[in-house]
């Protein structure tokens, strides 16, 4: 019997007849309907609507509870004997995993432990992440995920996500049909050409979409069964990988030009044909040459954003807005120098422009406050071979070759590093920033940690505790000789993309504008308390990130309905409750059949 959805899922009735017994009706039901548009809450005795039984249950990470299955569940599901005769609560299982995790001697082994758990027991994996997000996020995402991508051939255990190659052109729709889930709401896609600050890792880049989507769920509550990681393998220009017998991707140079664009066009169309126009597609770790071009090409045609450009911009501007409560002035009172002029720098620059314009400053005046330094020096008017993005930020100034010299001449109030040049913020530069400003702003945002422009300790020590510091990767607390202790703020994109994804999915927004990222930045900044600022934090503690994501999502949903951009109706009266009900729970479902009997007279068998 096929379930018919009526807000709360109808239940599938299974007659169970035993010797000498009247028929007993058992119902397998679902906590929340997987059909689009159904948000009916769970009721008493309702568990997931499962079609599998026996051995398959224990091998399905969405369903497997390990030794948390009760005896009744084991008997009814046909798995009794397949699991040791022991019954554990999820809390005890969590303790076992943590003990095993802490026994590992290095971060890569810890990463493998967590990914193996994700492949085995999804609910327990997310319970673990959310139990201490500050501890486990650096393992499943930056900085450890960078090492995991570099060692992906060795760390590879079980395929996750969808690998689509340049040779699959014309057949991407068929490949999407291979994915077992039909109700996909969010996709993170990469071509592996610019993984963090590590460069071209080809198909080893799959670790990034997998890690990113794990944070969609852990930090934003997006259902993991609605998430799809995708790696577009068009080859690699990394000679070491091409010569590595353990490399798991296509062993040829990257395909570019028309064939690449045709692959991208077909992928975008195939995704929306199968999953709908409001399926979120996040671009991740594409090289500069493609990142801006693809974002501009698709942003008004599909529900898409680029986290390296827009997500990084949002979290950086959130830190700047929070810093204004320390400097006691407006964003337009500041002057910014960027180390780097790539995706992240351009994204941050554009969002700063938008925020300044919101303060009432003209675009022309705002542009004069943003200075960018690339590998050739200061970006100035008249310099040859500037692309369109760099031309916008070119200043009317003589050429300056080095970052240190630019800081000396421009005397900025803030320096922002996003070029993955380790040590770019030298002692001299930091001393100059401290000389020019009472509270210099120093954002060393490059990932992973080994690529940071300076450490938190260097910033606080050289500026004598006056620096307002944020980094892209985590740094430990810093205690100065005078006893001052600082907890460096980590400008992690995880403050942004989970909440944005949750809000976009909840409202059915079909195009993601930059205004959403400014709203997100402002929301994050409002969650920073005066106590946080006194401790050196420009972002809320990571253990609050799920609530921060909820608030971001509610703001986006409210904005979408006010501007007529939401596609899901009727508009919910209580938007916070509406969004909260959509958020994934790591609590185990009950698989016990819902038993009940009809009145005896209704069950009487008719005889001839």
């Amino acid at each position: 019997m096929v379930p018919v959805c009526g807000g709360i899922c109808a239940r599938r009735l299974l007659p169970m007849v035993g010797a000498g017994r009247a028929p007993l009706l058992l119902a397998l039901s679902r906590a929340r309907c997987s059909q689009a548009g159904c948000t009916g809450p769970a009721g008493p005795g309702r568990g997931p609507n499962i079609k599998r039984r026996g051995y398959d249950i224990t091998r399905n990470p969405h369903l497997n509870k390990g030794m948390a299955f009760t005896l009744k569940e084991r008997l009814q599901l046909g798995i009794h004997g397949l699991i040791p005769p022991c019954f554990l609560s999820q809390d005890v299982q969590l303790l076992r995993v943590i003990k095993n995790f802490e026994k590992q001697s290095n971060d890569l082994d810890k990463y493998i432990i967590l990914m193996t758990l994700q492949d085995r027991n999804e609910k327990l994996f997310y319970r673990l992440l959310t139990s201490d997000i500050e501890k486990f996020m650096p393992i499943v995402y930056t900085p450890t995920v960078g090492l995991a991508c570099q060692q992906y051939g060795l760390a590879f255990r079980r395929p996750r996500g969808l690998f689509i190659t340049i040779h699959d052109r014309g057949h991407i729709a068929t490949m999407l049909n291979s994915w077992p889930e039909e109700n996909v709401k969010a996709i993170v896609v990469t071509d592996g050409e610019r993984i963090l600050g590590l460069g071209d890792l080809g198909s080893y880049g799959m670790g990034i979409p997998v890690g990113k989507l794990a944070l969609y769920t852990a930090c934003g509550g997006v259902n993991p069964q609605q998430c799809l990681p995708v790696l577009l393998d068009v080859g690699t220009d990394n000679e070491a990988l091409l010569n590595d017998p353990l490399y798991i991707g296509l062993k040829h140079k990257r395909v570019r030009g028309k064939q690449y664009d045709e692959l991208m066009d077909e992928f975008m169309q195939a995704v929306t044909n199968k999953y709908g126009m409001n399926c979120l597609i996040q671009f991740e770790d594409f090289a500069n040459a493609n990142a801006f071009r693809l974002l501009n090409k698709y942003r008004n045609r599909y529900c898409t954003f680029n986290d390296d450009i827009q997500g990084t911009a949002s979290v950086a501007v959130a830190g700047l807005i929070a810093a204004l409560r320390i400097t006691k002035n407006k964003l337009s009172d500041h002057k910014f120098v960027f180390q780097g002029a790539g995706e992240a720098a351009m994204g941050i620059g554009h969002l700063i422009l938008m925020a300044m314009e919101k303060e009432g400053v003209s675009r022309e005046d705002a542009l004069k406050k943003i200075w960018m330094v690339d590998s050739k020096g200061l970006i100035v008017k008249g310099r040859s071979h500037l692309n369109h993005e760099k031309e916008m930020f070119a200043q009317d100034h003589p050429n300056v070759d080095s970052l240190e010299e630019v800081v000396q001449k421009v005397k900025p109030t803030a320096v922002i590093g996003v070029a993955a040049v380790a040590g770019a913020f030298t002692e001299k530069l930091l001393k100059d920033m401290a000389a020019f400003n009472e509270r210099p702003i120093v954002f060393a945002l490059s990932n992973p940690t080994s690529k940071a422009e300076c450490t938190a300790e260097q910033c606080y020590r050289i500026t004598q505790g006056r620096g307002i510091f944020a980094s892209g990767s985590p740094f430990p607390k810093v205690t100065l000789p005078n006893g001052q202790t600082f907890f460096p703020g980590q400008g992690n994109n995880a403050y942004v993309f989970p909440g944005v994804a949750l809000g976009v999915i909840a409202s059915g927004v079909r195009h993601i504008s930059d205004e959403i990222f400014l709203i997100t930045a402002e929301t994050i900044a409002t969650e920073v308390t005066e106590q946080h600022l006194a401790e050196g934090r420009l972002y809320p503690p990571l253990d609050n990130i799920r609530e921060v994501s909820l608030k971001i999502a509610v703001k986006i949903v409210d904005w979408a309905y006010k501007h007529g951009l939401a596609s899901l109706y009727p508009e919910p009266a209580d938007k916070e409750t509406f969004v909260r009900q959509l958020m994934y729970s790591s609590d185990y479902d009950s698989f016990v059949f819902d038993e009940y009997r009809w009145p005896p007279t209704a069950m009487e068998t008719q005889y001839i």
Side-chain angles (χ1 to χ4, degrees), residues 4 9 33 163 179 183 202 212 322 368 380 382 385 452 456 508 512 520 594:
V4 178
C9 293
C33 180
F163 292 83
W179 189 248
N183 191 29
K212 209 86 172 184
K368 293 176 182 177
V380 296
H385 306 298
I512 304 174
T520 299
D594 186 7

Side-chain angles (χ1 to χ4, degrees), residues 155-467:
F156 186 79
R157 295 292 187 276
R158 177 178 171 179
R160 297 192 66 86
L162 202 59
F163 292 83
I164 298 173
T165 77
I166 191 69
H167 307 308
D168 297 312
R169 280 183 304 145
H171 306 282
I172 294 178
T174 302
M175 296 192 70
L176 290 176
N177 289 333
S178 300
W179 189 248
E181 304 296 337
E182 292 292 326
N183 191 29
V184 171
K185 298 289 188 183
I187 291 173
V188 174
V189 58
T190 184
D191 69 355
E193 189 171 5
R194 193 204 65 100
I195 299 299
L196 300 174
L198 304 172
D200 187 349
L201 295 184
S203 68
Y204 283 1
M206 177 57 100
I208 296 296
V210 169
K212 209 86 172 184
L213 288 171
L215 297 186
Y216 267 50
T217 301
C219 302
V222 178
N223 190 323
Q225 291 176 259
Q226 296 178 346
C227 297
L228 171 57
V230 175
L231 188 286
L232 299 178
D233 191 346
V234 298
T236 178
D237 291 338
N238 187 324
E239 289 293 337
L241 295 181
L242 291 174
N243 296 321
D244 184 354
L246 297 180
Y247 180 58
I248 61 174
L250 295 181
K251 290 192 174 182
H252 58 65
K253 292 287 189 179
R254 281 189 171 271
V255 174
R256 303 184 186 276
K258 182 181 178 183
Q259 287 180 299
Y260 180 92
D261 287 350
E262 288 175 351
L263 179 76
M264 291 303 309
D265 287 343
E266 183 185 350
F267 170 74
M268 299 296 286
Q269 190 62 53
V271 164
T272 52
N273 286 348
K274 183 171 179 64
Y275 302 123
M277 285 300 298
N278 53 1
C279 177
L280 171 62
I281 305 170
Q282 178 190 322
F283 285 88
E284 186 70 25
D285 287 348
F286 284 74
N288 290 354
N290 288 320
F292 291 108
R293 185 174 65 86
L294 295 177
L295 178 62
N296 292 331
K297 181 178 183 180
Y298 295 131
R299 67 187 305 168
N300 294 319
R301 294 166 54 191
Y302 299 101
C303 180
T304 187
F305 74 96
N306 184 305
D307 187 58
D308 302 303
I309 299 173
Q310 296 159 290
T312 301
S314 188
V315 76
V317 171
L320 293 173
I321 293 172
L324 296 179
R325 287 156 58 189
I326 299 174
T327 59
K328 308 296 184 184
N329 52 15
K330 297 187 298 182
L331 199 63
S332 52
D333 293 325
H334 288 265
K335 188 181 292 185
F336 305 89
V337 166
F338 285 80
Q339 164 63 17
E343 298 171 39
M346 294 299 165
I348 298 169
H350 279 287
L351 206 60
I352 289 175
L353 284 179
M354 182 181 290
M356 286 187 181
E357 288 177 315
K358 193 172 181 179
E359 290 181 350
V361 178
S362 69
R363 171 158 287 230
E364 183 181 2
D365 288 340
L367 282 168
K368 293 176 182 177
K369 298 176 182 293
I370 300 173
W371 300 65
M372 293 196 178
V373 180
D374 63 10
S375 59
K376 297 178 181 178
L378 181 65
I379 295 177
V380 296
K381 295 183 185 298
R383 201 176 91 178
S384 60
H385 306 298
L386 288 179
N387 59 32
H388 172 72
E389 287 78 18
K390 290 184 179 182
E391 278 183 356
M392 174 180 289
F393 293 101
Q395 297 290 345
D396 188 5
H397 192 279
N399 289 329
V400 182
D401 293 331
S402 71
L403 177 65
E404 280 187 355
E405 193 178 352
V406 171
V407 169
Q408 280 185 324
K409 292 180 179 298
V410 174
K411 294 181 173 53
T413 57
V415 287
I416 301 174
V418 284
V421 178
F425 294 170
T426 62
E427 183 171 351
K428 182 179 186 309
L429 183 149
L430 292 172
K431 283 182 175 178
D432 285 344
M433 287 294 296
F436 302 149
N437 304 283
E438 178 62 29
R439 300 303 303 270
I441 297 173
V442 179
F443 280 14
L445 299 180
S446 292
N447 285 314
T449 310
S450 60
K451 300 289 186 180
E453 288 76 14
C454 70
T455 67
E457 188 276 335
Q458 289 168 335
C459 174
Y460 290 126
R461 175 175 52 82
I462 294 170
T463 64
Q464 299 178 323
R466 292 187 287 117

Side-chain angles (χ1 to χ4, degrees), residues 404-539:
E404 280 187 355
E405 193 178 352
V406 171
V407 169
Q408 280 185 324
K409 292 180 179 298
V410 174
K411 294 181 173 53
T413 57
V415 287
I416 301 174
V418 284
V421 178
F425 294 170
T426 62
E427 183 171 351
K428 182 179 186 309
L429 183 149
L430 292 172
K431 283 182 175 178
D432 285 344
M433 287 294 296
F436 302 149
N437 304 283
E438 178 62 29
R439 300 303 303 270
I441 297 173
V442 179
F443 280 14
L445 299 180
S446 292
N447 285 314
T449 310
S450 60
K451 300 289 186 180
E453 288 76 14
C454 70
T455 67
E457 188 276 335
Q458 289 168 335
C459 174
Y460 290 126
R461 175 175 52 82
I462 294 170
T463 64
Q464 299 178 323
R466 292 187 287 117
I468 303 173
F469 180 82
S471 60
S473 288
F475 281 104
K477 70 177 182 180
V478 176
T479 301
L480 297 180
N482 64 4
Q484 277 185 292
T485 299
F486 298 95
F487 296 84
Q490 184 190 356
N492 195 312
N493 290 22
Y495 283 108
V496 175
F497 61 80
V500 169
L502 181 62
V504 166
I505 292 169
S507 59
V509 168
R510 292 186 176 178
H511 306 295
I512 304 174
S513 72
D514 284 335
E515 192 168 349
I516 283 179
F517 292 98
L518 186 55
I519 291 169
T520 299
E522 292 168 345
T523 305
I524 295 168
T526 60
E527 294 303 303
V528 181
T529 67
E530 292 301 323
Q531 178 62 33
H532 294 151
L533 294 174
E535 295 173 345
R537 300 180 191 268
L538 295 181
Y539 300 94

Side-chain angles (χ1 to χ4, degrees), residues 39 64 108 151 241 299 313 341 367 553 568 588:
T39 57
N64 183 34
L108 183 59
Q151 303 292 325
L241 295 181
R299 67 187 305 168
L367 282 168
L568 300 179
Y588 284 140

